[in-house]
Amino acid sequence: MADTKLRREPFTGEALLELLRRPEPAPISAGIPPLGNLSLLIAPAFTGKTSLVCWLAMARAAGVAPWDGAPTLAKGAALILSPDEAVEQLVRRMDGLSRRHPAGPLEQYAWNLHVLGPDPYVDERELASLRFDSAGLARLGARLERATTEGHPFADVFVDAYADVLPLGESENDNGSATRIGGALQALAVKHGCSISLLHHAGKPPKDTPDDADVRFLGRGASALAAKARAVFSLEQITEMPWARRIRTITNLGKTPPAQLFEVSPEGTDGELSYFKPIVRPLPRQLHPRDFLRDGQEVTTTELGDLLAPRLKLSGGELKRATAAVRNEWVKLGLIEVTDGARGAKLVRLRDDPERVTR
């Protein structure tokens, strides 16, 4: 940015073309917020979104990959704004996660972790500043600016959660508030080159909502919030596998990564989160779509049932229900895509990289 031509407003001509010489952004990875942009992380209550944020912040602070197959994060400072959860509780959560985290013991990188939330030693006026009215957003901008000036800029900022930073009296259903706050956070992310992740609660899904429902519309309240984010992640529970979580992604920053399934606790436990480990293990019931489908082949759900019948040894209504369960499982694991065909039929085909979860 030293070239004064790049300081012109608006960009045009040579200055405009100069933007193409900047380094290209990294590909989007499931669950990892992109630098220089606003991300939205949507999940139902008690699914583990705060634990995921702690896990990612710890990886950033230590400069490690958060899990196998993910890119190594450049070491940097991470800021967690937690208006609702006590700082002590968050730190104890991180300490527990550190026992299985690739970053190792918390003491080795704690200086790169910054947490602001309720505590007996925190001034209430400081907590009041976490409300994202115009003054609160200005204070967040000043905090990011000060960190940069002091030589320790924040690489990641996590806000937990949207409902807790709304100005008093404003509603999650207000598209005007969502547009104002989302737009301001995206502008701050671009200005400071950091990722800003806004956590958000999922709404109660309508009855018979499909497992592959559009990620953009899972959040509670105003739809404008997802429209302002450049990447939207959903963290989802797997009913049949309480020890697992699924992350799905939608983004306009490049190729959307496939859904990724994570083991978060030892199988057979009650599912309390203690780590994030990508699942590469045999599928339940030892069924894999490559056993039944060829590359490029599209089949209806009825045809899929015919292909599964010899292995499932079922027929009639039982086969139909079992086929739907297997199809939904494959969708959750990111192995197949389901699209609408003629006359309401559902078409099933392999994803481009169905070996993400191996047999």
Side-chain angles (χ1 to χ4, degrees):
M1 298 296 291
D3 192 334
T4 56
K5 290 181 293 186
L6 293 182
R7 298 180 183 275
R8 295 179 183 174
E9 298 179 4
F11 291 101
T12 185
E14 186 177 338
L16 181 69
L17 296 175
E18 185 68 26
L19 300 178
L20 297 175
R21 299 186 180 94
R22 292 181 180 176
E24 289 193 17
I28 302 297
S29 297
I32 301 179
L35 293 174
N37 288 283
L38 171 66
S39 298
L40 192 62
L41 173 60
I42 301 172
F46 307 112
T47 303
K49 56 184 179 294
T50 300
S51 291
L52 175 58
V53 160
C54 291
W55 191 272
L56 292 169
M58 293 159 67
R60 173 66 72 186
V64 301
W67 45 72
D68 289 343
T72 299
L73 304 183
K75 182 182 288 189
L79 171 64
I80 301 176
L81 302 178
S82 175
D84 186 56
E85 187 166 3
V87 174
E88 178 184 333
Q89 187 173 337
L90 273 174
V91 174
R92 291 188 185 282
R93 190 194 299 251
M94 286 191 279
D95 187 50
L97 292 171
S98 70
R99 297 165 196 166
R100 301 290 293 273
H101 199 291
L106 201 60
E107 293 83 355
Q108 296 179 1
Y109 46 87
W111 58 275
N112 250 345
L113 291 167
H114 303 254
V115 183
L116 177 58
D119 187 82
Y121 294 98
V122 174
D123 192 319
E124 289 185 3
R125 291 172 295 181
E126 190 74 13
L127 294 179
S129 72
L130 296 179
R131 294 283 178 181
F132 282 171
D133 51 19
S134 57
L137 288 166
R139 282 189 286 268
L140 174 60
R143 189 181 300 276
L144 299 180
E145 188 72 46
R146 185 166 62 251
T148 300
T149 302
E150 293 173 353
H152 301 288
F154 290 111
D156 293 319
V157 177
F158 300 97
V159 182
D160 188 6
Y162 180 58
D164 299 316
V165 297
L166 277 169
L168 295 175
E170 294 190 17
S171 166
E172 286 181 308
N173 297 321
D174 189 339
N175 276 298
S177 296
T179 298
R180 176 182 62 82
I181 293 174
L185 293 177
Q186 169 65 12
L188 286 173
V190 171
K191 178 179 180 181
H192 295 282
C194 61
S195 77
I196 297 182
S197 297
L198 184 59
L199 279 65
H200 189 33
H201 295 287
K204 184 177 180 180
K207 189 176 181 181
D208 299 325
T209 299
D211 286 325
D212 58 346
D214 195 318
V215 174
R216 293 170 296 178
F217 305 119
L218 296 179
R220 196 166 66 185
S223 59
L225 191 61
K228 284 298 179 182
R230 298 298 179 261
V232 182
F233 303 108
S234 65
L235 181 66
E236 302 163 4
Q237 290 178 305
I238 309 297
T239 303
E240 304 86 354
M241 301 187 300
W243 41 268
R245 298 291 186 273
R246 177 177 68 156
I247 294 180
R248 289 192 296 143
T249 309
I250 190 164
T251 181
N252 63 357
L253 296 175
K255 184 179 179 181
T256 294
Q260 175 66 63
L261 198 68
F262 291 87
E263 178 184 292
V264 297
S265 60
E267 189 171 351
T269 65
D270 59 5
E272 183 179 353
L273 273 73
S274 54
Y275 53 84
F276 282 85
K277 178 182 177 182
I279 290 180
V280 284
R281 62 167 60 199
L283 295 177
R285 295 190 292 278
Q286 298 296 312
L287 295 178
H288 194 285
R290 279 207 175 275
D291 294 335
F292 307 94
L293 301 174
R294 301 185 304 274
D295 287 333
Q297 179 185 12
E298 282 190 333
V299 300
T300 65
T301 50
T302 300
E303 292 169 336
L304 179 62
D306 293 338
L307 294 170
L308 291 171
R311 289 280 296 275
L312 296 176
K313 295 181 173 56
L314 297 173
S315 61
E318 289 184 341
L319 174 62
K320 185 175 181 180
R321 287 189 292 273
T323 299
V326 171
R327 184 194 70 188
N328 290 340
E329 182 179 273
W330 288 347
V331 169
K332 289 177 181 177
L333 295 173
L335 298 174
I336 64 170
E337 291 179 331
V338 179
T339 57
D340 292 327
R343 299 179 182 177
K346 295 291 186 182
L347 298 178
V348 176
R349 69 178 179 86
L350 289 167
R351 288 194 65 101
D352 293 337
D353 54 355
E355 294 303 326
R356 175 172 285 269
V357 180
T358 58
R359 282 182 283 159

